[in-house]
Structures are given as C-alpha cells and as structure tokens.
Amino acid sequence: MYAFDEVAAAAGEFREAVRGARGFRPLSVKLKLVDGCNLRCAMCDHWRRERRERLTLERLRALFAELSALGCRKVHLTGGEPGLREDLEAIVAAGTAAGLRVTLTTNATLFTRGRARRLVEAGLRAVAVSIDSPVAEVHDRQRGLPGSFEKAVAGLKNLRKEARRGKLTLAINTVVTRLNFRTLGGLPKLALRTGARALRLMPVDDHSGEALALGADEIAEYDAQVAPALADEGLRLGLFADASEAWVFGRTAEEKARATRGDYALGHYERRPCLAPFTHALVDHDGRVFVCCMARGLRALGDVTERPFTEIWHGPAYADTRRQILTPARLPPCARCDDFLDENARLHAILDAPADL
C-alpha cells in the first residue's frame, strides 16, 4: 500500500524529489520489532543470532508521531517474530493512534484467540501469516519445528474469528524453496479453509548458508506442474490479482535463467531504478535505518535511538543512497529483490506521465 493516488496528486513534487535525490514522503515504513524468533526456519537466520536490544514502546510512540508528520500512511510490523513482544498490542494501538495503517507479518503460532481479539481491537488492519506448505510435514520441516503448521493454522483461524471486530484482512505468505515447491498447488484450498484472502509467493533468497533455491530443472518442473493450476485456482478464488503472481520465476527463458541465479528482479532494475528509497524506509529492531530490508547488509543511514527519523530521512546518507540507486550501478542487492516490482511500475507510470501545463 503506497498511497499511489497521493503520489499522483503531487506528481510534480514527486518528480522534483527524484531529480534532486530527496525523499518524497515515507509513505510506507517497515519496522522490525525484534530480532529473535520462536521457530528455526531453514531459510532464515533470526533464530541463529543473539536477541539484541530492541526499541522501547516510548521510542516507538515518538517514531510514529514523526512518521505521521512526514506523511507516512502505513507501518508494517515484522521481525523475527513480532509476536514475541509482549507489548505488541500496545505498539499497534500507538501506531493507530498516530493515524497510521498498521499491518503485520507473523508466523501466528503465538496468537491465541484472546491475543487476536486484542490486536484487532487495537486497530490492526492486515496480517500476512507465514505458511510454507499446505502439507503439515513439509511446512514443519521448512520452519524447523514439529507442530508449527498446526499452531500457525490455529493462529490464522483465531485472527479470522476476530476479524469482524475491526477491518482486518488476512493473507498467506509462502517462501518457495526446494523443500516445498511441489506441494504448493494446495495453497488455494488452505486459504479458503482458513479465511485468507490473498496468497503471496516469495522465492527464497539463499543468504543463511542453506542450499534451498530452485535450480533450472526444478524451476522448469514448477512451471510445468505447479504454476498453471496454482494460477488458475488462485485467480478463481480471488487470491491473485494477476496470474503472474503464481509464476514467480518468470515466463521467458531469459527470466528463468535470471531466477536460477537468484536475480528475482528479472532484469527490471537494469532498465529502471527502484523508487522505493523515495517513498519507503526500514527501521531495524535496534533502531538502525535502511532504505529497505534487502539493504540491511549495507551501511546504515542513521539510528533513531540517536537522531530523529526526520533528520535521517532528509539527511546526506539517505541522499547519497538515492543518488546511487539512480545510477546504472544501483545497489548491490537490487537484482535479487522482487519486493517492489508492482509498486515501481505504478510509481514510474506517475513519473513518466506528462506534466501539467
């Protein structure tokens, strides 16, 4: 959710921001609440690291006020597993009170019926639950903990039961790996059974040392045996807006070759720069600020425990990163990123539209 109507209404301001490598507005901000996790996912390293200091509720309230004043519309809470924070409901309430649309990604294993009710009542607007297969054993293997599928489905159903108390929408996020890709045809039925209204498939980014990415033969098998039926059923049930959402490795030979190398942007950023740094930010669990989650391995642009977010957003480090992303070199992680492809298409359409006379 990037508030595209708002960008279009201020198209001239947006164009000038891009030309000058200045931030437009941080319309959507991702906030990692905690570094730890209660699962042991094969494709993730949150559980492998020591849980470090986190942002306090007081500091988050101040951050939400800053973001709102800067024109932010949405804060997306993630982790690690944000359900580990005992004050999660208070964080959601603080974001809502600041006028922000608060959304969440979670494994849902810690979401009892009572906690689901409190989160909805606090103003939570959307939840993406991480479920990696409709087959319990496959999900549990990928998530590293027996019984995690049963707990995740129970948490998702608890959220569905409480959704009527607010304006909550539900989705399923699935990381596509060598372990699970053959089972994904059953995801639409799982979504129907649990009340999810959307499916989001994400090819694994091999960064934790596990060899989980699909090779060329496996991508061909996925395209031949999984993607067609998944696309048809997902469209029929309204879980996909477009069939391309099921073809996560692309359709052409060139796109599939790129996906085999882990270049999930499929060449997009060789043609056009990513505009996310002009409308988006990531605040890590310890207060460090980056342009996005893919850039967490690069130099931090600032720290909200030391300086106001406003200073960081308008500061020289952010400007330098924006200038770099406008050059052909881009940022090193850009080729691997498929997070903002749809958003970039819409932002570039606004950027390219004829200016008002």
Side-chain angles (χ1 to χ4, degrees), residues 66-124:
E66 276 193 271
L67 293 176
S68 182
L70 285 168
C72 184
R73 295 293 175 257
K74 184 182 83 166
V75 169
H76 184 72
L77 306 178
T78 182
E81 171 46 48
L84 289 172
R85 288 199 62 151
E86 296 178 357
D87 58 353
L88 179 59
E89 294 92 328
I91 293 170
V92 172
T96 301
L100 304 171
R101 184 175 187 265
V102 183
T103 63
L104 175 71
T105 292
T106 174
N107 61 42
T109 60
L110 302 174
F111 283 16
T112 63
R113 179 80 181 267
R115 194 167 205 200
R117 179 184 304 114
R118 293 191 297 273
L119 286 167
V120 173
E121 290 175 345
L124 189 62

Side-chain angles (χ1 to χ4, degrees), residues 200-322:
R200 298 169 186 156
L201 306 179
M202 300 166 289
V204 67
D205 183 26
D206 271 342
H207 63 274
S208 63
E210 304 284 352
L212 297 175
L214 277 67
D217 290 345
E218 290 159 323
I219 288 175
E221 181 182 349
Y222 173 86
D223 283 354
Q225 300 184 17
V226 180
L230 183 57
D232 289 347
E233 189 71 355
L235 286 172
R236 187 180 70 82
L237 295 176
L239 301 168
F240 294 140
D242 187 270
S244 62
E245 295 175 51
W247 300 88
V248 292
F249 303 105
R251 303 292 291 269
T252 69
E254 179 187 354
E255 288 174 340
K256 293 174 187 179
R258 289 179 179 274
T260 302
R261 299 193 298 268
D263 294 345
Y264 298 126
L266 305 180
H268 177 89
Y269 298 123
E270 294 177 13
R271 299 184 292 272
R272 305 296 299 268
C274 179
L275 299 176
F278 299 88
T279 58
H280 177 77
L282 167 77
V283 181
D284 216 336
H285 67 282
D286 54 6
R288 294 177 300 157
V289 177
F290 301 90
V291 295
C292 64
C293 60
M294 292 295 289
R296 288 177 74 219
L298 306 179
R299 177 173 63 96
L301 307 178
D303 188 329
V304 297
T305 66
E306 299 173 356
R307 298 167 56 201
F309 177 87
T310 304
E311 290 184 9
I312 299 169
W313 178 254
H314 293 302
Y318 227 123
D320 286 346
T321 299
R322 294 186 186 109

Side-chain angles (χ1 to χ4, degrees), residues 7-21:
V7 180
E13 179 188 350
F14 179 58
R15 292 189 190 97
E16 288 303 312
V18 173
R19 291 192 188 109

